[in-house]
């Protein structure tokens, strides 16, 4: 009797374990949860000016490969520091050949964790 009652529960637990392992793999395959949040914000606030495919200029430069190029823009600034500064203070460094038109309001409209999420997302653009 005891065995009959516990068996379905054991099966259920095993099933839940398998299912959660699968969904974990699915979301972890491409972007972290934080980077996914950043990707959503990027689509809303940045994609009108920045492409993520190479060599496509909308208003600002394409951000394809920014995870690599960001580290070489300003001596002493890591890729993450440079990207964060670009969002909080776009006129701290102006890309040659581009107008100084990136909005200066992101530091006010985004929460700190949202800026972290954007940086995490841009760092996946290798
Ligand atoms: C109105 C258009 C516009 C919007 C919206 C915009 N940007 Fe920009 N962005 C630019 C322009 C133009 C430049 C190049 C001039 C400069 O360096 O400020 C730039 C530069 C950058 C750079 C530096 C790129 C490099 O290769 O050094 C980063 C990083 C960046 N933007 C990220 C963002 C993010 C993230 C958002 C959204 C939160 C955003 N931008 C929204 C226009 C925009």
């Amino acid at each position: 009797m005891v065995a009959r009652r516990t068996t379905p529960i054991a099966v259920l637990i095993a099933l839940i374990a398998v299912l959660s392992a699968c969904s974990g793999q699915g979301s972890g395959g491409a972007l972290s949860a934080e980077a996914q949040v950043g990707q959503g914000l990027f689509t809303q606030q940045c994609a009108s000016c920045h492409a993520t495919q190479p060599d496509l200029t909308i208003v600002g430069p394409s951000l394809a490969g920014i995870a690599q190029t960001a580290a070489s823009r300003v001596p002493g600034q890591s890729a993450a520091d440079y990207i964060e500064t670009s969002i909080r203070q776009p006129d701290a460094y102006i890309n040659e050949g581009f107008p100084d038109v990136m909005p200066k309001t992101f530091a006010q409209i985004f929460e700190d964790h949202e800026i972290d999420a954007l940086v995490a997302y841009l760092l996946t653009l290798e």
Side-chain angles (χ1 to χ4, degrees), residues 19-43:
L19 287 176
S20 57
C22 287
S23 64
Q25 265 173 10
S27 61
L31 294 180
S32 70
E34 186 183 35
Q36 284 180 35
V37 171
Q39 186 179 38
L41 294 169
F42 184 87
T43 304

Side-chain angles (χ1 to χ4, degrees), residues 99-115:
D100 178 14
V101 295
M102 183 160 152
K104 315 286 185 290
T105 46
F106 291 128
Q108 282 96 58
I109 66 169
F110 288 129
E111 306 277 346
D112 286 352
H113 71 92
E114 293 176 315
I115 292 187

